[in-house]
Amino acid sequence: MASFPSFASTGTLKLEPDSTKHSTVSLLTRKSPSISYPKSQTSTPSESLNFQESLSVITDGSKIETSCYVPLLQECIERTSFSGAQNFHSHIIKTGTHRDVFVMTFLVNVYAKCGSMENAQKVFNKLPRRNVVAWTTLMTGYVHNDQSDVAISVFQEMLEFGSFPTNYTLGIALNACSAINSVELGEQIHGYSIKYHIDHDTSVGNSLCSLYSKCANLDSAIKAFLKIGEKNVVSWTAVICACGDNSKALKGLRFFTEMLADNVEPNEFTLTSVLSMCCTMLSLSFGVQVHCLSIKLGYEPNLRIRNSIMYLYLRCGRFGEALRLFNGMEDMSLVTMNSIIAGYGEMMELAKDDISAYCNGTEALNIFSKLNNSGFKPDIYSFSSILTVCSRMFALEQGEQVHAQTLKTGHLSDMIVGTALVNMYNKCGSIERASKAFREMSARTLISWTSMIAAFAQNGQTQQALQLFEDMRLMGVRPNQVTFVGVLSACAHAGMVNEALGYFETMQKDFKIKPVMDHYSCLIDMFVRLGLLNEAFVVIKKMDFPPNEYIWSLLLAGCKRDGNTELGFYVAEKLLELKPKNTETCLLLLNMYKSADRWEDVSKVQELMKAKRLKKLMDWSWISIHDKVYSFKPDERQAYGAEMYDYLDQLLDKAKSLVGYQSLESFELLEVEEEEGKTLPSNVQHSEKLAVAFGLLNMPNAAPIRIIKNISMCRGCHNFMKAISSLNAREIIIRDSKRLHKFVNGQCSCGDYGGLL
């Protein structure tokens, strides 16, 4: 956009009224002359003004006062009555009042407030004289109707016309620059305000602060704020929001405390902005104080503030307080619903066990159903949140229903929803539907590409993952660190050493991406899968940082599998130095030392577990059938009757007869938690075997069986699931603590090395 004419050529800025009939005071602050009506014709808050009766009142007499139209036009604004404005416009022309600049300028404002800028422009074009109020009114209308580029053009035309802007005009022009991110034009206006010593004006300073904030120039925004002579609540709110929008939440909270110290009372926008920054910083204590302040100031019923407070409690893990706020709300918005659904999603992540997580997910689904039945229309955030909940619940059926709703409402084309849909299908073990959802996306972001590459890698479809990566590059999408994690994971899964090392080098040389722990983990995982432990150690030596617990655990599992005791004990010592926090890692160490009769080391690990308060592993699984959850523990033999256990025995016998099946169950490693001092019998079956037997008995023949297990599968159970998937021609999907296992026709998507115990 071309720059507007130099301000210097327009002469000195006039802050006094110009020579036109009416003052240049803003129409928003000008008071209309008083007018008397018959009592029956007066408009009250509870009684809408009757336009026809009002017209008859003001025409009852030989002379019409132009001021009579002002309260009537104001009523049109309050009611957003475009038809009423047209009626009065016709009457104004009929009575000859259209020659009055003040009335016609007010009419420009009315049409603008009713959203008809076309009519506002027509009235403006026919004004007998155009003063700064008229120009400013038209500019304001275009800004408020999201046509800020036109507002800038009007501002340029005003300067060419020879009319001088007031401080309010400059503020509107700056708001227009902010809306279209035109920092260059904004800086010219800023320079003009400095030249004529009005940059200290409140209206100008507030607009400058917002402009620079929108253009990511926080320092200039703060400087503009500090120059304001009389700072009002809008000024303080502008600078607080500027800090929040530019990732300086702490600085924003400091300005808020200064504002209170300056005895400026915050409004609802100030409080919501401050609460948002408390969410960013997870500052619960500060947020609680703001909550108390909002109650003191009478803002507690305000829906925006209640939503902000509720979201703060959700983000900080105070779900009880958030739910109390939610349940106490008489009025709700879509934001309220979205926040509580997302909050239940967070609660699923922090739940103490998978059953609690499932219950939280069920509540989220109930809220989503309530949202649909309450008249609100779900938006992209509603759909993305609920799809995330479905993925965590392993709830494919519910996810499919949400998918259908996104199709019906037209939200499927949104990239956020499309990516959430891909992730949902992937985490529910349906890579085919994930791929279909990805292909149907009208537009894709880097996150979309990366999610699909990772999905193929996790499901053992290496060639598809690598081909998709090449397609992404051809489309001009630049991969990031996470993308290469998916690529290297795909190579590791297939044992493609040369390809993995090639991509690892490409990542560094062509894309200047420095390897992080996850990239090295993929390479080490690959070498361990192939039994190349020495090569894995070579990779460790090349790392710029010490290996973490996960990498040493990979090596330890590899040593145990390959029987490399000497190397295994070395890795075990390295793990002990890190004081591992993962119970499975500690139990892996325990059993390794026990098998070698190294009881002193066993004691060390046990002491470490006590110090870290690591509990013994409680093995249990659960399955959902027709929205009902069934959980299984090895010690609950009587819970589901003898029929299921008889059927499981039959399955075990069939599996043992299958060529290549090995029962390698490691009860000692799992160390099922003892209860009441009783040790469980050694012939007890692990929980996922019970769950799959129950599923085979109670689900339709063609239905895939989906199970969630709280710890890693052992190799014996893994072999059993492979055998059953082949014997029963049934797809079995188990998500354990490490990854998703998809068993089809005797094969598992993990490639028989998925962090198995």
Side-chain angles (χ1 to χ4, degrees):
M1 184 182 294
S3 301
F4 45 76
S6 171
F7 283 116
S9 63
T10 62
T12 305
L13 178 67
K14 290 185 177 180
L15 298 180
E16 300 82 12
D18 62 14
S19 58
T20 55
K21 181 178 179 180
H22 296 287
S23 169
T24 60
V25 177
S26 167
L27 288 174
L28 299 179
T29 59
R30 175 171 181 158
K31 294 184 178 179
S32 307
S34 59
I35 179 171
S36 299
Y37 292 99
K39 187 173 183 180
S40 61
Q41 304 293 338
T42 305
S43 175
T44 66
S46 60
E47 180 183 356
S48 297
L49 188 65
N50 184 293
F51 287 150
Q52 296 300 325
E53 292 180 357
S54 302
L55 289 174
S56 64
V57 170
I58 63 174
T59 55
D60 186 18
S62 57
K63 185 178 179 181
I64 299 175
E65 292 289 340
T66 59
S67 58
C68 295
Y69 287 105
V70 174
L72 303 177
L73 292 172
Q74 183 63 42
E75 178 74 9
C76 293
I77 293 176
E78 293 172 0
R79 295 169 55 182
T80 319
S81 176
F82 173 67
S83 60
Q86 286 182 311
N87 289 335
F88 286 124
H89 188 183
S90 300
H91 196 272
I92 287 169
I93 294 174
K94 181 179 178 180
T95 59
T97 314
H98 63 283
R99 290 184 290 271
D100 187 283
V101 176
F102 174 73
V103 173
M104 297 308 287
T105 300
F106 204 106
L107 188 60
V108 171
N109 185 39
V110 174
Y111 277 130
K113 293 289 178 62
C114 292
S116 178
M117 288 310 301
E118 182 180 357
N119 283 18
Q121 183 71 59
K122 287 180 180 178
V123 173
F124 176 82
N125 292 340
K126 293 181 180 180
L127 286 175
R129 290 181 304 279
R130 298 174 185 172
N131 58 20
V132 68
V133 175
W135 289 102
T136 304
T137 301
L138 187 64
M139 287 171 56
T140 303
Y142 278 119
V143 171
H144 289 170
N145 284 277
D146 299 323
Q147 300 181 55
S148 295
D149 52 339
V150 183
I152 292 295
S153 298
V154 172
F155 184 54
Q156 294 172 333
E157 187 181 349
M158 182 190 82
L159 297 176
E160 293 168 355
F161 188 76
S163 186
F164 305 122
T166 65
N167 47 0
Y168 182 75
T169 313
L170 294 177
I172 293 297
L174 287 167
N175 289 341
C177 293
S178 178
I180 62 175
N181 289 319
S182 180
V183 67
E184 294 181 1
L185 289 174
E187 286 175 339
Q188 291 184 52
I189 299 174
H190 189 183
Y192 183 73
S193 67
I194 293 174
K195 180 178 180 179
Y196 292 100
H197 308 292
I198 58 168
D199 54 323
H200 64 278
D201 177 78
T202 304
S203 177
V204 173
N206 293 348
S207 298
L208 281 171
C209 184
S210 298
L211 168 68
Y212 286 125
S213 170
K214 187 81 177 291
C215 298
N217 189 343
L218 181 59
D219 290 339
S220 296
I222 293 175
K223 287 178 182 178
F225 166 78
L226 294 176
K227 283 200 171 186
I228 298 174
E230 295 182 7
K231 300 177 178 66
N232 58 17
V233 64
V234 178
S235 312
W236 287 99
T237 303
V239 74
I240 291 169
C241 290
C243 294
D245 293 341
N246 288 274
S247 304
K248 297 292 181 182
L250 180 59
K251 186 173 288 188
L253 296 182
R254 287 172 179 165
F255 274 117
F256 180 65
T257 56
E258 290 179 23
M259 172 186 177
L260 297 178
D262 208 29
N263 293 320
V264 178
E265 184 176 302
N267 59 21
E268 65 171 296
F269 302 104
T270 321
L271 294 172
T272 52
S273 180
V274 170
L275 287 166
S276 175
M277 286 184 283
C278 290
C279 288
T280 301
M281 297 181 62
L282 298 180
S283 178
L284 180 62
S285 58
F286 199 100
V288 169
Q289 295 180 59
V290 177
H291 185 184
C292 295
L293 178 62
S294 68
I295 295 173
K296 181 179 179 181
L297 297 176
Y299 283 112
E300 189 183 21
N302 185 284
L303 185 58
R304 286 167 53 92
I305 291 178
R306 288 177 72 88
N307 285 342
S308 299
I309 294 170
M310 185 183 73
Y311 189 64
L312 169 67
Y313 286 139
L314 289 171
R315 287 274 292 145
C316 294
R318 301 291 287 271
F319 302 112
E321 288 85 343
L323 291 176
R324 276 192 289 273
L325 274 173
F326 176 77
N327 293 328
M329 288 184 178
E330 295 181 1
D331 297 322
M332 295 184 187
S333 66
L334 182 59
V335 174
T336 313
M337 298 286 196
N338 287 347
S339 296
I340 203 68
I341 290 172
Y344 273 116
E346 292 288 333
M347 291 168 68
M348 292 181 71
E349 286 289 295
L350 300 174
K352 60 181 180 179
D353 53 56
D354 286 343
I355 292 293
S356 299
Y358 187 90
C359 292
N360 290 327
T362 301
E363 287 298 323
L365 289 171
N366 291 337
I367 297 296
F368 184 72
S369 177
K370 182 179 179 181
L371 185 157
N372 285 317
N373 295 328
S374 61
F376 294 116
K377 293 183 178 179
D379 60 9
I380 58 174
Y381 304 105
S382 315
F383 285 122
S384 61
S385 294
I386 202 63
L387 285 169
T388 301
V389 167
C390 291
S391 68
R392 290 171 179 166
M393 292 177 67
F394 221 29
L396 179 62
E397 183 178 345
Q398 290 86 342
E400 288 173 335
Q401 294 174 16
V402 177
H403 185 182
Q405 191 175 356
T406 62
L407 281 169
K408 184 178 179 181
T409 58
H411 284 93
L412 186 59
S413 59
D414 184 86
M415 290 181 290
I416 295 176
V417 176
T419 303
L421 196 62
V422 169
N423 287 330
M424 186 275 295
Y425 279 128
N426 172 42
K427 291 185 177 179
C428 289
S430 182
I431 187 63
E432 298 81 10
R433 295 183 187 180
S435 179
K436 185 175 184 293
F438 176 79
R439 291 194 305 270
E440 291 175 350
M441 292 178 69
S442 57
R444 303 181 183 105
T445 63
L446 172 61
I447 297 175
S448 309
W449 288 97
T450 300
S451 297
M452 196 65 237
I453 291 170
F456 279 132
Q458 291 165 10
N459 284 270
Q461 300 188 17
T462 300
Q463 293 301 327
Q464 291 89 329
L466 299 183
Q467 183 59 54
L468 191 63
F469 176 71
E470 296 303 330
D471 292 344
M472 184 187 80
R473 293 179 63 180
L474 287 173
M475 292 294 293
V477 180
R478 184 181 178 85
N480 62 7
Q481 284 184 347
V482 183
T483 313
F484 275 104
V485 171
V487 171
L488 293 173
S489 176
C491 294
H493 189 280
M496 300 169 63
V497 176
N498 293 332
E499 289 81 355
L501 295 177
Y503 282 119
F504 189 73
E505 185 177 0
T506 298
M507 176 184 74
Q508 299 175 75
K509 289 186 176 181
D510 296 350
F511 297 98
K512 310 301 179 186
I513 296 176
K514 188 176 180 180
V516 296
M517 192 75 77
D518 287 341
H519 299 125
Y520 286 112
S521 297
C522 291
L523 294 181
I524 293 168
D525 179 41
M526 176 181 64
F527 286 124
V528 170
R529 282 171 179 265
L530 297 172
L532 303 174
L533 299 180
N534 291 330
E535 285 78 358
F537 268 96
V538 171
V539 174
I540 289 177
K541 291 178 181 178
K542 291 181 179 179
M543 292 168 56
D544 296 330
F545 34 77
N548 60 10
E549 180 181 332
Y550 176 71
I551 288 180
W552 287 124
S553 298
L554 281 175
L555 284 167
L556 185 61
C559 292
K560 188 175 187 302
R561 184 196 62 184
D562 297 345
N564 194 330
T565 307
E566 182 179 354
L567 193 56
F569 286 137
Y570 172 79
V571 174
E573 290 176 5
K574 293 295 183 181
L575 263 175
L576 283 174
E577 290 176 6
L578 294 178
K579 296 182 179 179
K581 300 177 182 179
N582 185 280
T583 305
E584 291 185 17
T585 301
C586 290
L587 292 179
L588 191 63
L589 287 170
L590 268 179
N591 282 273
M592 191 167 186
Y593 286 134
K594 284 181 179 180
S595 63
D597 294 330
R598 295 178 59 159
W599 301 108
E600 185 176 343
D601 291 321
V602 168
S603 298
K604 287 181 181 178
V605 177
Q606 290 174 337
E607 289 299 322
L608 174 66
M609 293 180 70
K610 288 181 181 179
K612 295 286 184 180
R613 295 183 178 179
L614 299 178
K615 297 180 179 179
K616 294 181 180 180
L617 291 180
M618 176 84 76
D619 168 35
W620 60 276
S621 301
W622 59 271
I623 185 173
S624 175
I625 302 177
H626 301 305
D627 294 331
K628 186 175 181 180
V629 180
Y630 300 88
S631 62
F632 300 87
K633 289 183 181 180
D635 57 333
E636 293 181 339
R637 190 170 183 85
Q638 304 302 322
Y640 294 101
E643 180 185 2
M644 188 187 75
Y645 286 91
D646 292 340
Y647 183 63
L648 178 57
D649 290 338
Q650 295 174 24
L651 293 175
L652 288 168
D653 291 337
K654 288 181 180 180
K656 290 174 183 177
S657 66
L658 191 68
V659 176
Y661 171 72
Q662 283 183 298
S663 179
L664 300 173
E665 204 134 339
S666 178
F667 295 102
E668 185 182 12
L669 176 63
L670 289 176
E671 288 202 22
V672 181
E673 188 173 29
E674 299 174 4
E675 294 182 5
E676 298 179 359
K678 296 181 180 180
T679 304
L680 295 173
S682 60
N683 64 342
V684 72
Q685 300 297 337
H686 289 176
S687 61
E688 63 268 43
K689 288 183 178 178
L690 305 179
V692 78
F694 185 84
L696 289 170
L697 282 173
N698 293 279
M699 296 181 69
N701 291 333
I705 296 174
R706 289 180 168 81
I707 297 169
I708 291 182
K709 181 177 172 66
N710 68 320
I711 59 175
S712 297
M713 294 180 69
C714 72
R715 290 194 175 274
C717 290
H718 192 267
N719 289 338
F720 175 76
M721 297 302 167
K722 288 168 59 179
I724 295 304
S725 70
S726 177
L727 290 169
N728 290 55
R730 185 69 72 94
E731 185 176 297
I732 301 172
I733 304 166
I734 299 179
R735 190 166 74 193
D736 66 12
S737 62
K738 295 287 178 64
R739 64 175 300 143
L740 184 139
H741 302 268
K742 187 174 181 178
F743 301 92
V744 181
N745 296 325
Q747 300 296 322
C748 180
S749 60
C750 77
D752 293 343
Y753 193 86
L756 301 173
L757 294 177

